[in-house]
Amino acid sequence: EQRIAKMKSFAAAVSAMMATSAMAFAPSSTTTQSSSALSAMPDRMWDKMVDPSERSKSLPWLPRPINLDGSMVGDVGFDPFYLSSIPKNFAGFLQPPSWEETEGIPTLYWMREAELKHGRVAMLAWFGWLATDGAFGFPLRFPGDIYSVESIPNAYNAHNILVDQGSMAFLLVCVGLIEFCTGAALVQVSKGELDREAGDFGLDPLQFLKGKSEADVKRMMTRELLNGRLAMLAFSAVATQSALGESSQNFPYF
């Protein structure tokens, strides 16, 4: 009888184990509810910011930013933070939206405008920094004792000295006027009244682009953009190096 009882107990245990195993492969209500919850979730913004079928040319381990398709001059797909993919109307930085309705300025247009402006300023700034410090054989300064080497020993100290002299007020007025004029062009763009490429102000006094083919124009635009990017790095480097100590404030900064 004991043997029979043990066999019955063993059979019951085997049956329980088989039932448990079968339940593991059966669909559960929890799984169904989870699937329903996932399908009900809204689309992620990330899905609209990248092209998952293509890799970035400059960062091949990352998907290509959706707006960087290579059609714009100098576009190599470099945007590791995907800032160019963030949908935003930047016209509000120029005038309050409550003033009037406009078509707006898309993110990529605004960023290319800013990149070109910063690059152009950096090219002038890097050349000016080195020129005033005599990097090209002699210090290039404005005439007058207040701008001489005796009054302003180097470019690193020029800002504070010129602020004390009051000369920076005139520069501030000039910069404000330029910003106002360039901002007016962007307002026209946001209204749809001006069709222009980002950063194009039609400024070509030496007629470098006159009579050039479209390929030549794009090559010149690419050169300007690449030199501007390099100048931003170069100006940051010379300013940082000059700030390390008095011994590195004069050319060649080491």
Side-chain angles (χ1 to χ4, degrees):
E1 292 180 358
Q2 292 180 354
R3 182 178 299 178
I4 295 173
K6 289 181 179 180
M7 291 179 65
K8 289 182 178 181
S9 300
F10 178 76
V14 171
S15 300
M17 291 175 62
M18 292 178 65
T20 304
S21 300
M23 290 177 64
F25 292 94
S28 65
S29 59
T30 304
T31 304
T32 305
Q33 292 176 0
S34 300
S35 301
S36 301
L38 288 174
S39 61
M41 290 178 63
D43 295 335
R44 297 184 306 167
M45 182 180 290
W46 172 257
D47 297 331
K48 300 178 181 179
M49 295 173 64
V50 302
D51 182 0
S53 64
E54 189 176 349
R55 292 290 174 177
S56 168
K57 292 182 179 179
S58 58
L59 302 172
W61 58 88
L62 293 176
R64 177 180 68 82
I66 192 66
N67 291 327
L68 302 185
D69 55 3
S71 60
M72 183 175 285
V73 171
D75 175 15
V76 292
F78 183 80
D79 185 11
F81 298 109
Y82 296 93
L83 300 178
S84 63
S85 302
I86 299 175
K88 185 175 179 63
N89 180 6
F90 282 86
F93 286 92
L94 301 170
Q95 63 180 23
S98 58
W99 284 9
E100 57 183 334
E101 293 185 2
T102 63
E103 297 179 3
I105 299 177
T107 301
L108 190 59
Y109 187 97
W110 180 270
M111 289 189 170
R112 172 49 60 89
E113 184 85 20
E115 182 183 26
L116 283 170
K117 178 179 288 188
H118 282 82
R120 290 164 179 169
V121 171
M123 285 189 281
L124 293 173
W126 180 86
F127 177 82
W129 191 298
L130 270 68
T132 55
D133 281 349
F136 305 109
F138 61 93
L140 184 62
R141 305 290 183 94
F142 285 121
D145 292 337
I146 62 174
Y147 303 114
S148 65
V149 177
E150 289 75 20
S151 299
I152 306 175
N154 49 57
Y156 176 75
N157 293 290
H159 177 271
N160 292 342
I161 295 175
L162 290 173
V163 168
D164 294 337
Q165 290 179 356
S167 302
M168 294 295 284
F170 174 73
L171 179 61
L172 180 62
V173 172
C174 293
V175 171
L177 180 62
I178 294 173
E179 286 295 315
F180 177 80
C181 294
T182 56
L186 291 176
V187 170
Q188 289 181 298
V189 171
S190 68
K191 293 180 179 180
E193 299 175 355
L194 181 61
D195 183 18
R196 65 185 274 274
E197 292 188 22
D200 182 12
F201 293 97
L203 184 63
D204 187 17
L206 300 181
Q207 301 294 310
F208 284 121
L209 302 181
K210 185 177 181 179
K212 295 292 193 300
S213 64
E214 183 178 355
D216 290 334
V217 171
K218 286 187 176 180
R219 184 162 52 250
M220 294 289 287
M221 293 171 65
T222 303
R223 289 174 178 175
E224 180 193 24
L225 188 63
L226 294 180
N227 279 282
R229 291 170 177 172
L230 180 61
M232 286 187 277
L233 295 173
F235 181 78
S236 300
V238 71
T240 303
Q241 180 69 16
S242 299
L244 295 179
E246 293 186 5
S247 61
S248 62
Q249 290 180 2
N250 297 300
F251 182 81
Y253 313 115
F254 57 80

